[in-house]
Structures are given as structure tokens and as C-alpha cells.
Amino acid sequence: MGLKVKLPMVLEMDNKGAVDLANNYSVGGRTRHVDARFFYLRELKEEEGLMVIKHVPGIENDADIFTKNVDAQTFERHLPAFVGYDEYMDAKTPE
């Protein structure tokens, strides 16, 4: 395909437990029962250096507008991250 990607890719999640598990931090005694096949993100992060996994607070997570019911103010705050910004976004609609 000829696609060029800037490495390392950044994966931002608002689930602190998932971030800790992917970053190999000790989350608790029950994580020892997680099957090794679920640690693919760890392999990409550690062995190949392709990925960085970061925690993002839920209020700053742009993907929430696709996964949760959000109010209009939250939707409009995250919208420019996906569609860009132009002068018409501030224009008032005629009443």
C-alpha cells in the first residue's frame, strides 16, 4: 500500500486498569489468570517498539463521541478533532 506511519503509534485509553495491564504494571493477583494470547499489545509495545500506550482522562477522550451518549457541549468540544475547524463553526444560526 505504501502507507507511511510515524512510529511509535500512540494508543490513548481512558481505562486506567487496561493501560496498566498493557504496560505490564502489576494490576492485582487475578491478572496471572489472563491467557498469554491476550498480551499482543505488550508484544507490539515492548519487543517491536511500535506502540506507546497512554492514559487519557475520560473528559479528554475524543473517541467518546462515538462510544457514549454525550451532551451537545461535549460533542462540539471533540468534533474539530475529527472534522477540522473552519470559521462557519462559530456562526450563529438564524432564528
Side-chain angles (χ1 to χ4, degrees):
M1 285 181 75
L3 182 66
K4 295 186 188 265
V5 178
K6 183 179 176 184
L7 297 177
M9 293 180 280
V10 179
L11 177 63
E12 297 177 337
M13 294 189 273
D14 62 357
N15 185 326
K16 183 73 170 136
V19 172
D20 289 345
L21 186 60
N23 284 326
N24 218 8
Y25 302 134
S26 178
V27 179
R30 292 184 169 182
T31 58
R32 68 176 177 255
H33 298 292
V34 176
D35 196 0
R37 66 183 169 178
F38 296 113
F39 293 129
Y40 182 66
L41 288 179
R42 281 188 189 172
E43 292 173 14
L44 289 176
K45 187 177 99 42
E46 295 171 357
E47 296 172 10
E48 301 178 26
L50 293 176
M51 185 173 292
V52 173
I53 301 170
K54 295 178 10 179
H55 178 258
V56 175
I59 198 162
E60 297 175 14
N61 190 355
D62 293 326
D64 278 355
I65 66 172
F66 298 116
T67 60
K68 298 176 181 154
N69 292 329
V70 295
D71 57 8
Q73 181 183 9
T74 303
F75 183 81
E76 290 174 0
R77 184 176 65 242
H78 293 292
L79 191 61
F82 297 105
V83 298
Y85 182 82
D86 64 20
E87 73 262 14
Y88 300 108
M89 294 179 100
D90 289 333
K92 302 272 186 204
T93 57
E95 295 178 12

